[in-house]
Amino acid sequence: KVLENPGSVIVYDRSGAIDVERSEEGVELIHQAGQALKVAIDAAETEGGIHLRAVSDTVKTLSATSTKFCGSLARIVVTVMEQLSKEVCSNSDSMVGKNDNHSIIARKIREAQRSFQASLLSYIKLIEILALLKPDILPAVRDAYSELVAEGIMSKKRMKAYFASLPGRTSVKLAHDDK
């Protein structure tokens, strides 16, 4: 059941979003299923001899199951990252105010990054299974993570406020002073 549809053991809220905290038991089940699948693939690949065709068919079936399973896992991980990024960025503590100085903005950015990464820790087991079964899918997950950090936590608005709050003269002021 878990290998066919890993999302079936994840808990969803009324709006259809993943309930990150209540899904920890499901994450553990997915992790165990992924480890069992890896053991089965390794065992089938090391068998040989008289039943070579049967072993080959078993490996193909397990490989297809692994590909589908890992695709579903990657979608779950990216969905969780998207949800957590929105939650962290919409938190009033991480909002940059007009009167915030450079050190306050820097602290808010660091805290938002820490909060986002800490929220992902309970889902690290899913990423471990992806690395175990299908490491070639990790760059896509990493790209999604980078994009969420760049567009959320390190958003253009935040970075603009951060650089504008730097102490000292800005390049804009310097350009006007030269004229």
Side-chain angles (χ1 to χ4, degrees), residues 109-175:
I109 291 171
R110 280 192 306 274
E111 288 302 318
Q113 181 75 10
R114 274 191 210 113
S115 176
F116 180 58
Q117 289 173 343
S119 299
L120 288 173
L121 285 178
S122 59
Y123 283 78
I124 198 76
K125 288 182 174 189
L126 300 185
I127 296 170
E128 289 172 358
I129 293 300
L130 288 174
L132 190 65
L133 293 172
K134 196 140 182 78
D136 59 323
I137 205 167
L138 290 177
V141 174
R142 192 178 313 117
D143 289 346
Y145 172 84
S146 297
E147 188 175 317
L148 287 168
V149 169
E151 292 179 6
I153 295 164
M154 307 295 280
S155 71
K156 194 174 191 177
K157 181 181 176 182
R158 272 200 183 112
M159 292 294 90
K160 186 175 180 180
Y162 173 81
F163 286 112
S165 71
L166 285 171
R169 297 165 60 106
T170 66
S171 59
V172 173
K173 287 182 184 175
L174 290 174

Side-chain angles (χ1 to χ4, degrees), residues 24 45 83-84 87-88 113 127 145 149 156 171 179:
E24 288 184 22
E45 286 177 342
Q83 282 180 216
L84 293 173
E87 286 175 23
V88 167
Q113 181 75 10
I127 296 170
Y145 172 84
V149 169
K156 194 174 191 177
S171 59
K179 292 182 180 179

Side-chain angles (χ1 to χ4, degrees), residues 38-77:
K38 177 63 174 162
V39 168
I41 290 170
D42 289 348
E45 286 177 342
T46 57
E47 288 181 8
I50 301 172
H51 309 292
L52 207 49
R53 184 170 178 101
V55 170
S56 174
D57 291 345
T58 301
V59 170
K60 284 179 186 174
T61 301
L62 290 172
S63 179
T65 301
S66 175
T67 299
K68 182 181 176 194
F69 178 69
C70 288
S72 295
L73 281 188
R75 283 188 293 283
I76 290 169
V77 169

